[in-house]
Amino acid sequence: MTLETLQDTRLRQARWAGWASLVANILIVVTGGAVRLTGSGLGCPTWPRCTDESFTPHGELGLHGVIEFGNRLLTFVLVAIAVLTFLAAWRTGRRELRRLAFVLALGIPLQAVIGGLTVLVDLNPWAVALHLMLSMVLVSLSVRFLQQLDRPVPAARGPLVTLAWGVFAVGYVVLYLGTIVTGSGPHAGDADVARNGLDPVQWSQLHADSVFLYIGMTIGLGAALHATRADRAAVRATWLLLGLQLAQGLVGFVQYFTGLPELLVGVHLLGAGVLAASTTWVLLRVRHPQPAQPPAAAAEPALAASLR
């Protein structure tokens, strides 16, 4: 095996690990939502043990204890994936990949501690919001890790990059406002958990307004990229983001006007994780555009084919 082939193999392994990290960090959002939507948030009433006497749930905790404990066990899956990602990054010999993998690995125990503190403060909605937002950050870092595998060109500057940063920032504002709406709504994770005391109608309206801004800025970015004949991959990524935004918005409106059914809320949570990933990808594609292929270089494959 040549040195080049060995490096390609190591990069391929790192890519698989990066995708595993991305998928796992999105799924932990969904499973955490399932804990809350089934009222199992205090199925294990303390942390790090499930009860004062045991690390595992016992019979009297019932199904809620099993659901909450199962979600805790998924942390070990995330730890394993984080370790594998770091080892794969280390084998590539690339410093930027090692740094990103290290930060991702640190994020998992931090997430576990915040989750434990959330239980200890009886599912305080502000702590729950922090728990969710950290997962979104880890999703974005996973996307950054995957992008770094392709050795992106140096960061570009200009109005398009500024607009892409704006879409990214507003996207995270949308996500955070969504956690505030959730904290004022009915799905608290346990029947006895207090809510944040804010008016859910007013904050739902503010959340919807931020979504309109998010969509509008994405349309503007896509139109600007198309008009300036920017990197085609960036254009495709932006229109894909727009499609995901519209789908997520539709789910949000339907769930609001149908009384927040648990299944739709779960789909909305999955959509939030996918949107965090897609918004990050758009920013990275715009910020690191692939250089245009020179006409002569583009003609070479066609010329070679004609000579066969």
Side-chain angles (χ1 to χ4, degrees):
M1 180 181 292
T2 66
L3 183 60
E4 183 178 355
T5 302
L6 179 61
Q7 182 66 3
D8 287 342
T9 300
R10 290 174 175 176
L11 286 173
R12 187 162 55 250
Q13 292 170 347
R15 193 177 303 279
W16 278 106
W19 274 106
S21 178
L22 174 60
V23 171
N25 278 295
I26 291 177
L27 286 181
I28 199 70
V29 171
V30 178
T31 59
V35 170
R36 179 169 55 83
L37 294 169
T38 57
S40 306
L42 295 178
C44 286
T46 189
W47 185 87
R49 294 171 179 257
C50 184
T51 68
D52 291 333
E53 298 82 21
S54 173
F55 281 98
T56 59
H58 46 70
E60 68 184 45
L61 293 176
L63 180 61
H64 291 319
V66 173
I67 293 173
E68 163 64 4
F69 183 70
N71 189 60
R72 292 187 183 190
L73 288 180
L74 288 177
T75 301
F76 295 100
V77 176
L78 284 172
V79 168
I81 291 174
V83 170
L84 289 174
T85 302
F86 181 75
L87 292 176
W90 188 270
R91 284 166 53 83
T92 66
R94 289 170 52 181
R95 185 177 301 175
E96 73 278 11
L97 293 177
R98 292 175 178 178
R99 284 198 300 262
L100 275 170
F102 182 68
V103 173
L104 280 167
L106 286 181
I108 304 305
L110 177 60
Q111 181 73 306
V113 170
I114 293 175
L117 293 176
T118 300
V119 171
L120 295 179
V121 297
D122 295 328
L123 304 184
N124 180 288
W126 301 107
V128 173
L130 178 61
H131 194 41
L132 175 64
M133 293 306 296
L134 179 56
S135 286
M136 297 303 174
V137 171
L138 293 176
V139 166
S140 290
L141 286 175
S142 298
V143 174
R144 174 65 168 167
F145 180 87
L146 287 167
Q147 182 245 2
Q148 283 285 353
L149 287 168
D150 295 324
R151 286 193 180 275
V153 298
R157 295 182 179 181
L160 288 177
V161 176
T162 301
L163 182 54
W165 272 112
V167 172
F168 180 80
V170 171
Y172 263 83
V173 169
V174 169
L175 291 171
Y176 186 66
L177 289 176
T179 68
I180 295 178
V181 173
T182 298
S184 66
H187 299 300
D190 189 86
D192 298 325
V193 170
R195 311 312 289 134
N196 60 23
L198 300 175
D199 185 346
V201 175
Q202 291 182 353
W203 282 91
S204 294
Q205 182 62 59
L206 182 59
H207 178 54
D209 292 341
S210 68
V211 169
F212 290 134
L213 176 61
Y214 184 32
I215 292 174
M217 291 180 68
T218 302
I219 293 173
L221 176 61
L225 289 169
H226 183 77
T228 56
R229 300 180 183 274
D231 177 16
R232 290 184 179 179
V235 176
R236 289 194 298 269
T238 304
W239 293 134
L240 174 60
L241 172 61
L242 177 62
L244 292 171
Q245 289 170 338
L246 294 175
Q248 178 76 336
L250 177 61
V251 172
F253 276 109
V254 171
Q255 73 169 11
Y256 180 80
F257 289 108
T258 55
L260 302 176
E262 287 82 357
L263 180 60
L264 278 183
V265 175
V267 172
H268 204 54
L269 274 170
L270 173 61
V274 173
L275 274 180
S278 183
T279 305
T280 305
W281 184 244
V282 167
L283 170 61
L284 294 174
R285 292 303 309 185
V286 175
R287 190 166 179 258
H288 301 276
Q290 295 300 312
Q293 193 177 27
E300 286 179 2
L303 178 60
S306 66
L307 294 175
R308 289 175 184 168

